Amino acid sequence: MAEPAKPQILLAEEAIARCRTLAGFSENSTGLTRTFLSPPMHACHQAISKWMQSLEMLVETDAIGNLRGVYPGLSERRLIIGSHIDTVPNAGAFDGALGVMIGLALVDGLARQRLPFEIEVIAFSEEEGVRFAKPFLGSLALVGGLNLEGAMAQAVRDFGLDPERIDEAKLDASRVIGYVEFHIEQGPVLEEVDLPLAVVAAIAGQSRFAVTFTGAANHAGTTPMRMRRDALAAAAEWVLAVERTALVTEGLVATVGSIEALPNAGNVIAGEARVGLDVRHQADEVRLTAVKQLLDEAAEIGLRRGVGVAWSERLNQATVQMDADLIALAERAVPFKMVSGAGHDAMILAAVVPSVMLFVRSPGGVSHHPDETVRAEDVAAAIGAGLSLLQDLAKRYN
Ligand SMILES: [Zn+2]
């Protein structure tokens, strides 16, 4: 039976308070670190289960440790709302957790109204890839893309779950009408345009490369400047070239975020420099063209300086488009679209079910840091947009 709906600002404040509560469940006492199936995940599950049960949701934990609560509907159809509850080391309270808490706020906001579909809120056990250097474990299990073995299977057993039951975590995609993920933006775009929310149109494709410059290590005092094959100077020249190319290519972000010089001594010309390249763009063609240009430039710099250049590809992930129909529905409440530069669970789910994301403004653009925060008004706006989306979908499936 319907009951008076709570004001959206109260739902938002509660969602925020709950994120803060969850942030107290940490592997250490100095900040928030909660990796895949680590001991504090038990307390986290307990708290979320209690909140789900108070909303008349049926709660289960699947074999990869996703906590899943189903709010009954008037048919077998199902809408999924989810995000992750694992964190990076020394994390903020809202990356991932906010999406799950907004899911619960939406169910709460229905005030016991039943829709023509069930709502499943999923707290994914793993997205960040910290514990096993492999991200998206939780959502991969839903699309049947996860092989549970070795240390990972042991972690599942240690948590009290049965890795043999991993197939039961898989979605019955024929029943699922969509996947909606709310997430903090983790960047400065919404701050700059002064808006609380964005609809995510696509998740940008990524290329990652390891690039090695090989010169000749030698004495920093006795080797004349013109007779050097300085690997670090060659790498440095290329780092700036990468930045220049990205600056003049609309929408491209290219980063050299790591560099290692060998032997890394102040009085030795570097014989080798190893750098990591990360390139992202919403159009795969633009990204791949930029990557080719950047690698050509590296080769040209090496040739000119007598330094060898070699590279190996570490990642070539295509752009994932969100579902056009869900985007159009979400846009009724949120008239601003952007591309996500970061990967999210929606990227995995989009392979099997229509998916869309909504970003909530990140004050200061700060994320993966204890200072990460959100504004209650922005979260209230997200809850408002979510409730409109639910009602629009309800009309469609009535
Ligand atoms: Zn996240």
Side-chain angles (χ1 to χ4, degrees), residues 40-50 61 65-67 85 123 159:
M41 200 60 99
H42 284 291
C44 196
H45 277 194
Q46 241 165 37
I48 299 173
S49 301
K50 216 175 76 193
T61 306
N66 297 321
L67 186 71
I85 52 168
F159 195 78

Side-chain angles (χ1 to χ4, degrees), residues 83-84 95-96 127-128 183 186 344 368:
S83 198
H84 61 99
D95 176 4
E127 188 264 355
E128 301 282 6
H183 202 284
Q186 304 181 283
H344 292 288
H368 284 187

Side-chain angles (χ1 to χ4, degrees), residues 207-381:
S207 291
R208 288 189 207 168
F209 280 82
V211 182
T212 303
F213 294 83
T214 308
N218 211 335
H219 197 293
T222 61
T223 317
M225 292 310 290
R226 298 204 177 281
M227 299 176 69
R228 298 179 175 209
R229 293 164 54 217
D230 186 333
L232 187 54
E237 185 178 341
W238 186 61
V239 170
L240 295 177
V242 169
E243 185 187 44
R244 243 185 340 265
T245 298
L247 276 168
V248 298
T249 312
E250 180 70 33
L252 188 76
V253 285
T255 309
V256 177
S258 67
I259 187 159
E260 190 187 359
L262 296 174
N264 204 25
N267 60 351
V268 183
I269 298 159
E272 192 172 299
R274 300 173 188 164
V275 302
L277 173 70
D278 179 308
V279 182
R280 307 184 192 204
H281 194 278
Q282 67 180 104
D284 291 329
E285 210 183 284
V286 176
R287 170 174 55 89
L288 296 172
T289 304
V291 163
K292 184 175 180 311
Q293 184 190 338
L294 293 173
L295 295 174
D296 285 349
E297 270 178 286
E300 186 270 314
I301 290 166
L303 205 61
R304 181 156 38 75
R305 289 174 167 269
V307 167
V309 182
W311 52 77
S312 71
E313 188 177 73
R314 295 293 156 90
L315 181 72
N316 178 5
Q317 153 89 50
T319 289
V320 177
Q321 300 297 335
M322 297 292 97
D323 181 69
D325 180 47
L326 285 176
I327 290 174
L329 274 189
E331 270 189 300
R332 292 188 192 171
V334 182
F336 179 74
K337 268 195 299 194
M338 64 181 284
V339 171
S340 174
H344 292 288
D345 291 304
M347 192 170 95
I348 306 299
L349 271 294
V352 295
V353 292
S355 299
V356 72
M357 287 190 81
L358 280 102
F359 274 168
V360 179
R361 171 162 50 188
S362 289
V366 177
S367 187
H368 284 187
H369 187 279
D371 289 346
E372 178 183 280
T373 186
V374 285
R375 292 194 188 91
E377 312 84 81
D378 294 356
V379 175

